[in-house]
Amino acid sequence: MAIGEAGPGSVRDGSQPRKRLEETMRARLGRECVYVPSCRFGLYAALRHWCPPGGRVLMSPVNDDVIFFVVLAAGLRPVQAPLNPSDASIDIDAVPEDVWGSLSAVLTTNLYGNPDPAPGLRARCDAQGIPLFEDAAHAIGSEVGGRPVGAWGDASVFSLSKHVGAKAGGILAIADPGLREALEKACDDLLLPRRTTAELAYAVRPYAEAAVRGLRLRRAAWATMRLLGLMEREEIRMPLRPDELARAVASAPDLDAHDPWVRVDMHDYRLRAGRFRLGRIGRRLDRLDDVLAACRSGTELLLSTRWGQPAGGQPGASVQPLFRVPLLVADRDAAARALARRGIVVGYLYDPPLDDYAGAAFTDPSPSPEGARWFARHALPVDPLRARSVIAALEESGVGPAEVPEGLGPTGG
């Protein structure tokens, strides 16, 4: 090896900062962790490891469409679950028995940080002999049943872009430590080579975003991106392109064929990370507890308003440090306009539900779609770190709260 050349395991190749990220998350979850470039990439690796091609996966219809395309890319059939309309968690008792018997796996969403009923889903999966996967992208600090979200599934995936705020990186956590080596190799085989241009863009992005905010050029920046054809979604959902998607599905499992859908909003989702990127993620992760404390405080304040729901769906439950707080408003468009006037952008909307968006050609529809449709139409996900500004804007707007209609409550009460 030439002098100055980086050998395997050296600081320069990023292995040491990567291991530090894995150890930090291992201490939080009590299980083996593998660093991955994104949550979506880690989920694909987990689905491919545990599920046979053609298998059926129960999932939430109120979810990011990227996750839907990851399931398709893994060669699996999405099956949409009935939801509790107050928080979009999976309504276990409303899933028909014949559907349970047909499944190869269950995938939770933990939408905005509100936990799905993981203990009950774990019991059902054990009874069926199928794996449970937890998408914990929004729920890095949430708990359910006395454990952290992500500590119930056979595998769970976390985003380091959300609460951590690193705009990159993810964690694949696994219950069986004996599978770590196989999953690490599977991920390594799927990764694309590191690109200098991508690392440079990542390095300058925070400064560019700060300049846009400071100069109040957000609208001009969006207009320029649209003019250059860099906007991949004009609406909440990305364009489905059903004919192209059908050809991709016919070749699944195939991540490359589904790349036009899976990469949306994150084109470096499967690139190897450089040392600078890993170092920035690590510094952000070191401050996570402070962020979670602030999120919990803001969440508590927002849930106490007339647009909020009791913590955990019932009085007296502990407050989660939500990534976004889904306030339930009678007129979401009017509420979003009121927030926009204060410079607060509403994102992470998942409307319409995935079965209405994709249709029966690509997914099994929910047997009881009304709860998901109601929640998707009325949920206003807001940043708990801007709680006071959000409340002031909504009070000024006069937007009223939305009440869950009689008969739409969860089957289990």
Side-chain angles (χ1 to χ4, degrees):
M1 183 172 68
I3 295 175
E5 184 179 342
S10 71
V11 173
R12 187 175 298 178
D13 75 2
S15 62
Q16 289 185 21
R18 185 171 62 249
K19 287 178 180 176
R20 190 171 80 86
L21 295 174
E22 294 171 345
E23 289 167 1
T24 299
M25 289 301 293
R26 185 186 304 122
R28 286 183 172 274
L29 299 172
R31 52 174 53 192
E32 285 295 319
C33 293
V34 177
Y35 175 84
V36 288
S38 64
C39 178
R40 64 190 74 175
F41 178 86
L43 177 60
Y44 178 83
L47 292 171
R48 290 289 294 117
H49 179 86
W50 269 275
C51 298
R56 293 160 52 79
V57 179
L58 185 73
M59 63 181 295
S60 167
V62 181
N63 198 346
D64 193 335
D65 40 27
V66 165
I67 299 302
F68 175 77
F69 293 118
V70 168
V71 175
L72 290 177
L76 304 169
R77 174 77 174 181
V79 177
Q80 304 305 322
L83 302 183
N84 178 343
S86 65
D87 64 3
S89 61
I90 293 176
D91 187 350
I92 298 176
D93 295 327
V95 180
E97 286 301 319
D98 62 325
V99 172
W100 282 115
S102 72
L103 298 175
S104 298
V106 173
L107 171 63
T108 68
T109 299
N110 305 295
L111 187 64
Y112 307 131
N114 279 316
D116 278 296
L121 289 170
R122 177 74 271 172
R124 287 301 311 231
C125 287
D126 289 343
Q128 301 295 141
I130 59 175
L132 173 65
F133 301 116
E134 294 181 85
D135 180 349
H138 294 173
I140 199 169
S142 297
E143 296 183 355
V144 60
R147 299 189 208 171
V149 168
W152 289 92
D154 296 85
S156 54
V157 286
F158 290 84
S159 170
L160 301 179
S161 297
K162 306 295 190 298
H163 284 92
V164 177
K167 304 290 179 72
I171 291 291
L172 169 60
I174 48 179
D176 182 354
L179 295 176
R180 178 196 165 84
E181 185 175 345
L183 283 163
E184 192 169 34
K185 183 181 185 308
C187 290
D188 195 61
D189 291 343
L190 289 166
L191 288 173
L192 296 178
R194 171 184 317 133
R195 289 204 307 262
T196 302
T197 52
E199 291 300 301
L200 179 61
Y202 179 77
V204 303
R205 178 176 175 176
Y207 306 105
E209 290 178 343
V212 167
R213 287 193 301 270
L215 297 173
R216 299 185 178 180
L217 296 175
R218 188 177 281 111
R219 289 184 181 177
W222 282 98
T224 302
M225 290 177 66
R226 188 174 289 110
L227 185 65
L228 295 174
L230 299 177
M231 293 288 290
E232 294 182 284
R233 57 169 94 220
E234 293 286 343
E235 305 295 334
I236 294 173
R237 296 294 190 189
M238 73 176 81
L240 186 68
R241 306 193 301 278
D243 292 341
E244 298 171 49
L245 182 59
R247 289 192 289 272
V249 168
S251 70
D254 188 341
L255 189 56
D256 291 330
H258 291 79
D259 189 67
W261 295 271
V262 176
R263 74 184 181 194
V264 167
D265 303 326
M266 185 180 282
H267 282 218
D268 52 0
Y269 76 96
R270 60 185 295 198
L271 294 184
R272 295 181 188 277
R275 183 162 56 93
F276 178 85
R277 183 183 300 243
L278 293 168
R280 177 182 284 172
I281 294 170
R283 290 189 294 276
R284 289 278 187 172
L285 188 57
D286 289 342
R287 300 197 291 269
L288 177 58
D289 286 330
D290 291 338
V291 174
L292 293 177
C295 286
R296 185 176 284 107
S297 177
T299 297
E300 186 169 21
L301 181 59
L302 287 164
L303 291 179
S304 70
T305 69
R306 55 199 177 106
W307 307 281
Q309 292 290 304
Q314 45 188 299
S318 61
V319 175
Q320 308 285 357
L322 299 186
F323 171 62
R324 293 290 183 268
V325 180
L327 303 178
L328 298 178
V329 296
D331 187 339
R332 189 180 62 211
D333 292 342
R337 288 193 297 269
L339 294 178
R341 288 193 289 270
R342 287 180 173 251
I344 301 173
V345 177
V346 176
Y348 300 97
L349 294 169
Y350 305 125
D351 186 22
L354 290 171
D355 35 7
D356 292 338
Y357 160 67
F362 300 107
T363 184
D364 284 16
S366 168
S368 304
E370 296 81 8
R373 289 170 179 161
W374 188 89
F375 182 90
R377 185 167 62 251
H378 292 287
L380 180 77
V382 295
D383 187 348
L385 300 182
R386 304 198 66 179
R388 296 190 183 280
S389 295
V390 167
I391 293 170
L394 293 181
E395 290 287 4
E396 287 177 5
S397 74
V399 172
E403 300 291 338
V404 178
E406 194 116 7
L408 274 192
T411 304

